Amino acid sequence: MKINGKMATPIEEKVDQNLKIRTGMVNVSDGKCKPEPLRLNLTMELLTLQRLEIVTPTNPQNGPPSESKERMVQITRQKQGGLGLSIKGGAEHKLPILISRIYKDQAADITGQLFVGDAIIKVNGEYITACPHDDAVNILRNAGDIVVLTVKHYRAATPFLQKQLAKDTPDSDNDTTCAELKADEGYKSSVNNGGGGTISRSCSRPMSICSEPEKRWMDVVAVPLMMAYVTRYIYGTDKLRPNAFEVRGINGTSTGIIHCDDLAILSQWLKLINDNVVGLTHLQMKLYNRNFAVGERIEYMGWVNEGVINNNISWQSYKPRFLLLKGTEVMLFETPPLNVAGLSKALVVYKVYQTMFRVVKESETVDSRQHCFLLQSAGHEPRYLSVETRQELLRIENSWNAAIVTSVIKLGRKTFAVSHHGKSGGLTLDWQTGFSLAEGADSAIVWQYKFSQLRGSSDDGKSKLKLHFQDHETRAIETKELECQVLQSLLFCMHAFLTAKVASVDPAFLSSIQQT
């Protein structure tokens, strides 16, 4: 393939083992230096940048890689067989977590990128180098259906582990195996010499005589797409790159700035990548939801950008935030939660039924960022947020409506302390019965109306509220005047109940809620 340093090439598609792989030439830079031509390789789980290099193959039998390089390998867990590998080692033995067996035709084997003797350094971006053996087993078991392993090969351990396999004792006691491994002379001498003196002796596959140099696509960086952050904006600003974008993985990897001078190709790459990110993130969301009852499940999770006002500058900066709608709560994270336990580490948690969601009109945006919305919870300053596309904004809006219904149904009813004609009472919003006012020690009902009878409301922005109801029989409008010291909280909650009622009378909407 001829590399054109100026032009992006059309996206090519091929199918390998029933998996679609899309490739095409782009120009990539770090945002400072001149872009260089690289190839994008897109699979369902990974976006890889590749450089065409002249290499001299030394092992045509696809043996294990060099010890010096960490690799990222993505595995799709199988229903039967799981990840398809066994591990030995652990911190309690002062050994890394080593892959001791790879089961033929199972998940790890299918990748073709994992080997006996690989040490697992990270699982989904989290270090496990300090984990005991049993903790590492549990982390791997609970890592989800799409698992990204960061590994590094230790050839010194390979012959010993393969010797164990030859004895047909792959599941032998970990303590015994680790003790024998640490006592193995070949392993000790290799470690003592930094691995350099025994690589050829301990390599499990024969090395061939060097063949003729050839051109190969070599991986430069691989970015996992599950919960990845895709943006066309210059980081932290409202400045849109006219013909470029960036993808950042949850493990900290980045593609750099990918340039496409052809806007049609740029749009196609963005759609393909975003579709994969959304699909994988939805898959992870369903995995998390196995742990929750119906009213506690996650409705949405994805990246947004939050505008941060700084009084020292004339413009606001932006910070990526991971937005999550779960049960009765809306949460914002600095980084995506990698497991269920991570859901407790949110920067911000608001109750959905006490929070207003409003899409910002194009004429009302504060700068050049598009697709913006506001979140305002009672008693808190509003948060100004934006997303990359109109489609993503619609997804959030639909998910918000679903979350409103879920949260209000779960809440059932909410009572606010109010004053009515100088008397203390309680205004109750009830999902089944509507509005009711109770007064006195016995909480006697003074008046009651259905939500459908409300014809309007007005307030002074401080504590006074007027509710206008229509009588079913006389059709006359009856106005009820109240005072409430937490007026904003009451108004937001009232809006949530009314929104949920409107949404619930739409059969198509209800059906979509039940399906998710």
Side-chain angles (χ1 to χ4, degrees):
M1 177 187 294
K2 182 179 179 182
I3 296 178
N4 190 320
K6 297 181 180 180
M7 298 287 290
T9 63
I11 299 172
E12 299 178 1
E13 181 180 308
K14 67 177 181 179
V15 178
D16 184 12
Q17 297 181 348
N18 295 323
L19 297 175
K20 285 185 179 179
I21 300 175
R22 296 176 171 98
T23 57
M25 293 302 301
V26 293
N27 292 300
V28 182
S29 74
D30 60 1
K32 300 175 183 178
C33 301
K34 183 179 178 181
E36 68 166 312
L38 295 175
R39 185 173 80 162
L40 280 188
N41 183 297
L42 175 66
T43 64
M44 183 60 196
E45 297 89 7
L46 282 174
L47 179 65
T48 306
L49 271 67
Q50 299 174 321
R51 182 186 291 115
L52 191 61
E53 295 182 356
I54 298 175
V55 297
T56 302
T58 58
N59 190 359
Q61 300 185 32
N62 195 28
S66 166
E67 294 193 39
S68 62
K69 186 178 180 182
E70 289 186 7
R71 299 127 48 214
M72 280 178 43
V73 181
Q74 187 150 322
I75 310 178
T76 303
R77 190 187 301 274
Q78 296 177 331
K79 291 182 179 180
Q80 299 293 330
L83 297 179
L85 56 82
S86 294
I87 61 171
K88 299 291 185 186
E92 70 269 42
H93 302 288
K94 297 182 180 178
L95 288 172
I97 300 297
L98 293 162
I99 296 177
S100 60
R101 181 168 185 170
I102 294 175
Y103 295 87
K104 185 174 176 57
D105 296 329
Q106 293 188 20
D109 185 42
I110 289 172
T111 69
Q113 301 177 61
L114 291 171
F115 302 88
V116 170
D118 279 346
I120 302 176
I121 298 168
K122 299 179 191 176
V123 178
N124 291 338
E126 290 192 74
Y127 281 97
I128 66 165
T129 48
C131 287
H133 176 267
D134 290 348
D135 288 355
V137 170
N138 288 329
I139 289 171
L140 288 166
R141 283 177 178 166
N142 298 299
D145 291 339
I146 307 295
V147 184
V148 178
L149 300 182
T150 302
V151 297
K152 182 178 179 181
H153 192 66
Y154 284 85
R155 287 191 174 178
T158 304
F160 179 85
L161 293 170
Q162 290 187 331
K163 194 191 308 177
Q164 294 287 305
L165 292 179
K167 296 178 182 178
D168 292 326
T169 57
D171 298 315
S172 59
D173 179 69
N174 182 55
D175 292 346
T176 302
T177 301
C178 289
E180 293 176 358
L181 175 55
K182 290 170 73 175
D184 181 69
E185 291 302 321
Y187 179 74
K188 287 197 296 184
S189 63
S190 178
V191 172
N192 292 336
N193 290 304
T198 60
I199 286 179
S200 62
R201 178 173 63 81
S202 59
C203 183
S204 59
R205 294 175 181 143
M207 305 293 284
S208 68
I209 298 174
C210 293
S211 57
E212 290 296 319
E214 61 182 44
K215 290 183 178 180
R216 285 187 191 173
W217 289 108
M218 306 299 290
D219 293 352
V220 176
V221 64
V223 179
L225 293 179
M226 184 174 64
M227 297 190 286
Y229 172 68
V230 184
T231 183
R232 287 187 62 191
Y233 288 93
I234 297 173
Y235 190 83
T237 76
D238 65 331
K239 308 304 179 188
L240 187 73
R241 300 182 192 275
N243 61 345
F245 65 96
E246 178 186 6
V247 183
R248 298 187 178 197
I250 58 174
N251 60 349
T253 56
S254 169
T255 58
I257 311 305
I258 299 172
H259 301 262
C260 289
D261 54 326
D262 188 311
L263 289 180
I265 295 176
L266 175 73
S267 298
Q268 191 178 2
W269 271 123
L270 283 169
K271 183 181 186 309
L272 291 171
I273 293 168
N274 275 311
D275 285 350
N276 287 11
V277 170
V278 170
L280 289 167
T281 302
H282 187 71
L283 184 67
Q284 189 67 22
M285 186 174 76
K286 291 176 68 175
L287 188 66
Y288 289 163
N289 281 340
R290 293 177 185 176
N291 299 279
F292 307 119
V294 173
E296 291 295 328
R297 288 178 182 166
I298 301 170
E299 295 282 356
Y300 172 88
M301 57 186 197
W303 285 100
V304 298
N305 280 274
E306 181 177 12
V308 181
I309 302 295
N310 188 331
N311 294 328
N312 297 324
I313 54 178
S314 59
W315 47 271
Q316 64 178 1
S317 60
Y318 283 86
K319 292 184 178 180
R321 298 283 187 245
F322 197 77
L323 176 69
L324 197 141
L325 294 172
K326 178 185 177 297
T328 62
E329 296 176 330
V330 53
M331 310 176 187
L332 287 172
F333 297 80
E334 278 191 332
T335 57
L338 299 178
N339 47 45
V340 173
L343 296 174
S344 63
K345 299 177 182 178
L347 285 174
V348 175
V349 180
Y350 297 145
K351 292 295 183 183
V352 170
Y353 56 81
Q354 288 186 331
T355 304
M356 286 285 287
F357 171 93
R358 183 172 73 84
V359 174
V360 178
K361 297 178 181 178
E362 287 188 20
S363 59
E364 298 175 343
T365 55
V366 299
D367 53 29
S368 298
R369 284 239 179 197
Q370 299 177 314
H371 317 305
C372 301
F373 63 97
L374 286 170
L375 283 183
Q376 183 172 10
S377 187
H380 299 274
E381 290 295 317
R383 291 182 175 269
Y384 189 84
L385 305 163
S386 77
V387 290
E388 295 284 325
T389 64
R390 173 67 179 165
Q391 290 77 10
E392 193 65 18
L393 183 58
L394 289 173
R395 284 184 63 232
I396 293 176
E397 187 174 18
N398 291 335
S399 298
W400 183 267
N401 289 332
I404 285 285
V405 174
T406 299
S407 63
V408 168
I409 291 176
K410 184 174 183 187
L411 179 65
R413 58 185 298 168
K414 180 78 173 175
T415 300
F416 293 86
V418 297
S419 174
H420 179 241
H421 297 318
K423 296 180 180 180
S424 297
L427 177 67
T428 297
L429 310 177
D430 188 288
W431 173 249
Q432 300 294 338
T433 59
F435 296 89
S436 63
L437 179 73
E439 292 178 350
D442 57 351
S443 297
I445 301 296
V446 178
W447 49 257
Q448 187 168 356
Y449 296 93
K450 293 181 178 179
F451 288 114
S452 58
Q453 291 179 263
L454 183 68
R455 288 294 176 266
S457 67
S458 58
D459 64 87
D460 66 352
K462 297 177 181 178
S463 62
K464 294 182 179 180
L465 171 66
K466 292 181 180 180
L467 298 175
H468 310 290
F469 298 102
Q470 186 174 49
D471 185 272
H472 276 320
E473 296 179 357
T474 65
R475 314 300 292 176
I477 299 297
E478 301 175 354
T479 299
K480 304 299 180 182
E481 296 186 20
L482 305 168
E483 284 196 44
C484 179
Q485 297 306 310
V486 287
L487 180 61
Q488 190 181 57
S489 182
L490 168 58
L491 291 174
F492 286 2
C493 194
M494 189 170 74
H495 184 271
F497 272 77
L498 293 170
T499 299
K501 275 295 177 183
V502 171
S504 68
V505 298
D506 182 352
F509 184 85
L510 273 184
S511 175
S512 69
I513 301 299
Q514 292 165 357
Q515 287 174 5
T516 55

